Amino acid sequence: MATTEILSDVLGTQPAPEVWLVVVTAVAALAVTAPRPVWRLARNAITIAHEGGHGLIALVTGRRLEGIRLHSDTSGLTVSRGKPTGIGMILTAAAGYTAPSLLGLGGASLLAAHRITLLLWVATALLLVMLVMIRNAYGALTVVVTGGAFLLVSWLTAPEVQAAFAYSAVWFLLLGGVRPVFELQAKRRRGEARDSDADQLARLTHVPPALWLFLFHAVSLCSLIGGGRWLLGL
């Protein structure tokens, strides 16, 4: 396939799927995010987005990204160097819990514009960039498997399959971005997770952790509502 043909496919638009497919992919994403046993496995993908959000904003704000680790218990760690206080550090800390939902919202905007192939390629590119910064074997395996799935679907499958995969992925980000904030809130209520992103932000800004949790909830729920409306064509 010539380069011009590839660019045409990637930058062009694709037919919008039937409404039933959009609804089915939403139900499938909910079935993955709601039951605890399935969520424990699927949450790895949300951790990729979470830590990727920390890493991306660290780079954008001028911090030096040292590396990212993803663990089998679905936790992760992003290490960056730079000024320990200030707007760069605040934005970096705030990016984790908001990243999955905002990525889902961005994906929904691309799908609403009928740019299914572009979404798949952008996701693959972001995962490839993230892979360079992964510093442990499990994290590398997780990112390679996820990126490989996007690449294979975008390169080898029919448009209908690409649409189903893209809509499922975006629904999953939108729905999966909501649950971790409630999980964090529950942990803090039990006296756990006292070094969470919300607590770090509280120390950086002197704003109570509860207000940062409110912000995380607001971003995730508003992204779900707005992105869902775009996906459903409302």
Side-chain angles (χ1 to χ4, degrees), residues 195-221:
D195 197 35
S196 69
D197 292 355
D199 293 280
Q200 293 180 41
L201 285 163
R203 290 193 291 270
L204 287 167
T205 63
H206 305 293
V207 174
L211 290 181
W212 286 107
L213 283 169
F214 176 80
L215 173 66
F216 296 160
H217 279 302
V219 171
S220 63
L221 293 173

Side-chain angles (χ1 to χ4, degrees), residues 14 35 44 47 61 74-75 82 96 114 119 131 145 148-149 172 177 201 204:
Q14 291 76 41
N44 283 285
T47 302
T61 56
T74 72
S75 66
H114 311 306
L119 177 130
L131 180 61
V145 170
F172 175 71
L201 285 163
L204 287 167

Side-chain angles (χ1 to χ4, degrees), residues 34-222:
R36 183 180 294 273
V38 182
W39 170 246
R40 284 177 180 172
L41 178 62
R43 200 183 191 282
N44 283 285
I46 296 298
T47 302
I48 291 175
H50 179 115
E51 300 302 332
H54 283 313
L56 176 62
I57 298 304
L59 291 174
V60 169
T61 56
R63 298 180 62 79
R64 187 171 73 253
L65 183 59
E66 295 288 326
I68 298 172
R69 290 178 175 270
L70 306 173
H71 305 131
S72 58
D73 62 355
T74 72
S75 66
L77 176 66
T78 299
V79 178
S80 63
R81 303 296 180 190
K83 189 178 178 182
T85 58
I87 188 65
M89 189 62 207
I90 293 170
L91 292 175
T92 298
Y97 279 96
T98 57
S101 296
L102 293 177
L103 286 171
L105 186 63
S109 70
L110 286 177
L111 294 181
H114 311 306
R115 298 186 181 276
I116 297 171
T117 304
L118 179 60
L119 177 130
L120 296 174
W121 280 59
V122 168
T124 303
L126 289 174
L127 288 164
L128 181 61
V129 171
M130 184 174 179
L131 180 61
V132 177
M133 299 309 302
I134 295 294
R135 294 294 181 263
N136 66 323
Y138 180 82
L141 176 63
T142 304
V143 173
V144 166
V145 170
T146 306
F150 276 92
L151 180 62
L152 290 175
V153 168
S154 64
W155 194 260
L156 299 177
T157 64
E160 295 80 6
V161 177
Q162 293 183 15
F165 184 85
Y167 274 81
S168 296
V170 170
W171 276 120
F172 175 71
L173 286 171
L174 291 171
L175 290 166
V178 174
R179 183 163 180 172
V181 187
F182 283 99
E183 291 176 339
L184 175 59
Q185 187 173 6
K187 286 181 179 179
R188 295 195 76 262
R189 193 180 298 121
R190 297 193 299 267
E192 303 172 6
R194 289 302 178 182
D195 197 35
S196 69
D197 292 355
D199 293 280
Q200 293 180 41
L201 285 163
R203 290 193 291 270
L204 287 167
T205 63
H206 305 293
V207 174
L211 290 181
W212 286 107
L213 283 169
F214 176 80
L215 173 66
F216 296 160
H217 279 302
V219 171
S220 63
L221 293 173
C222 289

